[in-house]
Amino acid sequence: MAAKVYFADTRASVKQNLLDKLQRLYERSGIKDIVAPNDLVAIKVHFGERGNTAYIRPQFVRRVVDKVKEKGGKPFLTDANTLYVGSRSNAVDHLQTAIENGWGYSVINAPLIIADGLTGKEYTNVPVNLKHFKEVKIGSAALHADAFIAISHLKGHELTGYGGALKNIGMGLGSRSGKQMMHSDVRPTISSEKCTGCSKCHKWCPGQAIAVGEDKKSFILEEHCIGCGECTVSCPFNAIEVSWKTESHIIQEKIAEYTLGVLKHYQGKCGFITFVNNISPECDCCGWNDAPIVRDIGILASLDPVALDQACIDLINQEHGLPGSRLEGQPHGSDKFRALWPHVDWRRGLEYAESIGLGTRQYELIKI
């Protein structure tokens, strides 16, 4: 059965601006009905890496916050720390970057809570029993709420082809070690040159797979290593390097499994909004953003994240590549994200998400 996806284009007038259109989407899509009085409402956003300007404008999210409060809900904005070393890899830097990017309380009217805590250790193991994971590590704050709204920015991505609602939720709310498990199929190794013998990695290894050699340096017992990634994100000296070695179709499937880990907690209490504007070639995790590949298209909303991602991509593919962008000359109807990243088949993530029950790729597009 086709899911309903609601769409508002970027046209505005003295009678109706884009904030008003977003409010209508919120109401027409049924997202307003998931909030009850006194509900703690987690609103998942991406605060943008320092130097990136393609992320969603905070003023749009403020309108959603206000609508949640009208129903008596108690909203908070959340995201989890990043795996890579940037401006959002711990809660202090993450919050500082968010405020610098305009996500202050005076703008948003809601608090910011980093889902996996100060250094990425505050997570909950959620059973999923799927192809890649038996359980997934989700930032705990994202699971302690009563309702959930994901507000995503559709853009390109070098590993998954595109990033939309599924990636915003699955990769976004995985703990730091969970992100390592999604990104890599390779067991970690310890650099004896960088290791100081502090033993901090021992404390966080659940498999007791780290030992100390005669040189007082740590090393990994491969036969005991479960590949959880905890040591990678625990070492303060970067002696256990992050591994990014995986295949595109595998990371897409893993992201879908993590998304399921989040959403199974919120059955009937989750909604999704995606902005198809400033459609940059790479993720908002980059400290820059290249020129948009197609024109601004609009905002979409649905109760089905799979249908929502599919509808966004279909609308983008109907466009011509913008002059001066990396897709200049790309015709109407061409696969824009395959043109950007020829080695990535972005469809795999949606196919797998549909197969594990996250939603359907069949949708009815309803323009407001």
Side-chain angles (χ1 to χ4, degrees), residues 3 75 78 82 90 114 137 139 157 213 220 235 237 244 246 262 287 305 314 347-348:
T78 191
T82 61
N90 64 75
I114 303 305
K137 302 178 178 183
H157 195 280
I220 293 176
C235 179
F237 303 102
W244 306 98
T246 189
V262 176
D314 289 345
R347 294 169 296 186
R348 180 55 193 154

Side-chain angles (χ1 to χ4, degrees), residues 85-99:
V85 179
S87 67
R88 297 180 301 121
S89 61
N90 64 75
V92 175
D93 292 340
H94 203 155
L95 290 171
Q96 181 66 41
T97 299
I99 293 168

Side-chain angles (χ1 to χ4, degrees), residues 172-300:
L173 288 175
S175 68
R176 294 192 75 216
S177 56
K179 288 180 171 69
Q180 169 66 70
M181 294 176 75
M182 281 184 273
H183 273 99
S184 180
D185 302 305
V186 179
R187 294 290 189 264
T189 57
I190 300 177
S191 169
S192 59
E193 294 180 358
K194 295 181 179 179
C195 179
T196 65
C198 72
S199 299
K200 191 171 185 178
C201 56
H202 297 222
K203 174 183 176 181
W204 293 104
C205 178
Q208 298 182 325
I210 302 178
V212 180
E214 294 181 358
D215 58 357
K216 307 299 182 183
K217 302 295 183 72
S218 296
F219 66 94
I220 293 176
L221 302 169
E222 294 188 7
E223 65 272 21
H224 297 297
C225 179
I226 61 174
C228 69
E230 285 294 341
C231 61
T232 304
V233 299
S234 298
C235 179
F237 303 102
N238 296 319
I240 312 174
E241 294 186 0
V242 172
S243 174
W244 306 98
K245 186 174 289 187
T246 189
E247 299 293 332
S248 173
H249 70 281
I250 294 176
I251 192 172
Q252 291 181 66
E253 293 174 356
K254 289 180 175 180
I255 288 170
E257 293 185 5
Y258 262 72
T259 303
L260 182 66
V262 176
L263 298 184
K264 66 182 295 187
H265 176 72
Y266 292 106
Q267 292 186 16
K269 297 279 284 183
C270 52
F272 314 93
I273 300 169
T274 298
F275 285 73
V276 193
N277 300 329
N278 293 320
I279 307 161
S280 49
E282 286 98 3
C283 182
D284 295 344
C285 292
C286 297
W288 74 92
N289 50 281
D290 199 359
I293 56 175
V294 300
R295 70 179 181 90
D296 287 353
I297 293 173
I299 313 168
L300 290 83

Side-chain angles (χ1 to χ4, degrees), residues 4-7 21-37 39-44 60-61 63-73 75 146-152 165 169 266 268-275 299-305 308 368:
K4 292 182 178 180
V5 178
Y6 294 82
F7 167 56
K21 282 190 167 185
L22 172 60
Q23 179 175 317
R24 290 183 63 198
L25 281 173
Y26 177 86
E27 294 168 348
R28 286 283 303 279
S29 65
I31 297 177
K32 67 179 180 64
D33 297 322
I34 72 173
V35 178
D39 274 356
L40 294 172
V41 182
I43 300 178
K44 170 63 176 78
F60 285 111
V61 179
R63 182 61 67 96
V64 175
V65 165
D66 290 344
K67 298 306 294 182
V68 169
K69 288 189 172 185
E70 281 184 17
K71 289 288 294 288
D146 303 298
F148 178 83
I149 300 171
I151 304 180
S152 309
I169 301 166
Y266 292 106
K269 297 279 284 183
C270 52
F272 314 93
I273 300 169
T274 298
F275 285 73
I299 313 168
L300 290 83
S302 180
L303 299 179
D304 185 318
L308 181 61
I368 69 165

